[in-house]
Amino acid sequence: TLFRSQARHEFKATLEDVVTAARFALKFHGAFCMIHLAARLCEIVDTLHRHQFEMKRLQIIQPKTGREANLIMLEAIVGGNVGNLKILPPLIVHNADNSYTAEIKKIYGLEE
């Protein structure tokens, strides 16, 4: 859709814009969560630090087992202590037969 394309390709707002707005909106110790491209992790961490955020949780998202991560999910805290980053197990989206994994079904509320 148009909105997904605009978000993914940063037509309307850059990473810097989003983090700046989050910092403006959040009080000290407020939490900011985002999903972004895994390849941009270094830029994301740098941008968060420049705006007084400290990452607290990180989870990579893989399309299938054995495939390279394409997305990351993270939580950052305004003014959080340095360190204590919790790295969660990878979130696998699809099984070998392209069906959703049990964890994704649970997230989407599709449990049988």
Side-chain angles (χ1 to χ4, degrees), residues 42-57:
C42 293
E43 178 186 357
I44 293 165
V45 171
D46 177 61
T47 304
L48 290 170
H49 281 168
R50 285 188 289 105
H51 292 278
Q52 303 172 319
F53 284 97
E54 187 63 38
M55 271 196 342
K56 291 299 173 185
R57 291 193 300 167

Side-chain angles (χ1 to χ4, degrees), residues 43-95:
E43 178 186 357
I44 293 165
V45 171
D46 177 61
T47 304
L48 290 170
H49 281 168
R50 285 188 289 105
H51 292 278
Q52 303 172 319
F53 284 97
E54 187 63 38
M55 271 196 342
K56 291 299 173 185
R57 291 193 300 167
L58 175 68
Q59 186 171 33
I60 66 166
I61 303 172
Q62 295 173 243
K64 290 185 178 179
T65 299
R67 296 273 305 272
E68 188 173 304
N70 59 344
L71 296 171
I72 57 164
M73 188 166 29
L74 66 86
E75 178 184 26
I77 304 294
V78 176
N81 293 332
V82 176
N84 298 322
L85 172 64
K86 183 175 184 177
I87 300 176
L88 303 170
L91 175 61
I92 310 298
V93 178
H94 293 101
N95 294 309

